[in-house]
Amino acid sequence: VVSSVKAERTPRSDRKRRDSFGMFDGYDSCSEESTSSSSSDDSEDEVVPSIPASLPIIKNNGQVYTYPDGKAGMATCEMCGMVGVRDAFYSKTKRFCSVSCSRSYSSNSKKASILARLQGKPPTKKAKVLQKQPLMAKLAAYAQYQAMVAGESFDWGQYICSSNTVGAPVSCFKHVSSWNIEVGVRIEVPNSDTNFSTKVYWIAEIIKLAGFKALLRYEGFDSDTSKDFWCNLCIPEVHPVGWCASSGKPLVPPKSIQHKYSNWKTFLVKRLTGAKTLPPNFNDMVQQNMQFPFKKLMRVEVVDKNYLSRTRVALVEQVIGGRLRLVYEESQGGADDFWCHMYSPLIHNIGWSRSIGHRFKRSGRHTHFVRIDAPPQLFQKVRLVDQSGDWFKDGMKLEAIDPLNLSAICVATVRKVLADGYLMIGVDGSEAVDGSDWFCYHGTSPSIFPVGFCEINNIELTPPRGYTKLPFKWFDYLRETGSVAAPVRLFNKEVPNHGFRLGMKLEAVDLMEPRLVCVATVTRIVHRLLRIHFDGWEDEYDQWVDCESPDLYPVGWCQLTGYQLQPPASQSNDVLIITNYSSPA
């Protein structure tokens, strides 16, 4: 007797700090060709003036950042040619003005935008058009073709086997699904080892699991691995044992071993007695798990990517696998868009900002489409807290993941206490004068930590920009600033049994380019905090992410949902050739 494996659907339970020029890319998935609200700087012949190192940098929207280190001198971005204060440039080498330019220089993921510039399409405010040469156009076109082919041909199974790694189990991703499928389960799948012209099936055993994908071996091959193959268990061609009999489909043994047994029926009865298989309604459960409550043109409140301390109204334009493409309500032509998950802490129901005292930008433009406010029950709920007694207070110091540079945990300050447990947090030394880059975290957020968390857990703490007394010591800093540390008891100390292990592979959103889902690896685990490394990228692009983040997915999620997976980056000579042919400033 073949028993069914229980499978249940789980109930619903950023970029560098704006970089120094205010180019906030953290939640912006606009294409390289999208334009900003001002067009005065968009000329192809734009000349970037020299900026004295002693002057503050003036952002495009008028907000001011100041940098105390006036001795750092000037630097020129190797990608876009922008000139600025060296201290404000990205990375230790100071070769690029922002994360975006750094990635554009070294990654296949930007080949399409390079091609667009070579073809003379309008550049963004922070980029100059490269010299338009026929040779360069050909090279860029070839590079774009290679990038497209790489994305479509990436083979998770081969990648896992060649690197001798494991994929994080589906049970680690509560926002995706929950099942109890394990190694040894038998299923019925199409038989590719046959001479029949029509589709026939055979029984296979799960040898290894990696997320939604499984390494399968046809029954009868015993220890012979020559015909093993990888398969996404959620595709329609995968069925529980017994499906062929009930559906009138033929079970045909692979031709390579057809001679091994004279009575295959007796063989199967012996092999399958006591074995496990999928539940009879497994395919229906998969389809049910792919239904999402958010619909096109629903209205939500979402963080303003150009003014982090306030929210705006956005419309749901597209839903894929629970990920939402949102377009600001007053956006012209829907170009002002970005992606996030429906459980993201960045989105809320209409009226949320007013209810907690959060800044909000009213929409000045209305469409003729019928719009519906997304019901409040669709959004992720936060824990109720008692703010009447011991709670966070303005000015308290803490450590926080920088939402615009998720590779860094920074010295931060509670700038304002809102209702319902929400806090406005500012990163010390990098704040705009008007507080426009304060970020809203809930008091129970797993992204904020008590003073000393990094030191205890051997994590590098990013000190305030311009702070010269290094190595940074909290005791001295609190005394110098006349501040107090937020009490340890106020922070979220729950650590769920998440199941992640070092070296596990997964598919993860690059929150610096949130439209991208990439091949990634867990490289460090600190309680519930995961260090996510994007395969093929330098470590400086790693991101700290909570173990229950809705931006993490099992291997095979992109294939299941139809979302494009970004393969590991390769340092292609094509890109190096293209960038080296940039026109002189």
Side-chain angles (χ1 to χ4, degrees), residues 204-224:
E205 178 183 359
I206 296 178
I207 303 300
K208 183 176 182 178
L209 281 168
F212 287 125
K213 305 201 70 126
L215 181 64
L216 302 179
R217 183 176 301 162
Y218 289 125
E219 283 291 350
F221 275 88
D222 301 325
S223 60
D224 183 358

Side-chain angles (χ1 to χ4, degrees), residues 58-107:
I58 309 299
K59 298 171 59 180
N60 292 333
N61 57 4
Q63 300 161 16
V64 181
Y65 280 92
T66 58
Y67 297 93
D69 184 9
K71 299 178 182 180
M74 306 303 294
T76 302
C77 179
E78 294 184 18
M79 180 61 195
C80 71
M82 174 171 277
V83 178
V85 179
R86 180 180 175 83
D87 181 55
F89 268 43
Y90 175 70
S91 81
K92 296 179 180 178
T93 61
K94 307 301 181 185
R95 296 171 59 198
F96 307 101
C97 67
S98 67
V99 174
S100 178
C101 280
S102 175
R103 290 199 167 202
S104 298
Y105 188 91
S106 62
S107 164

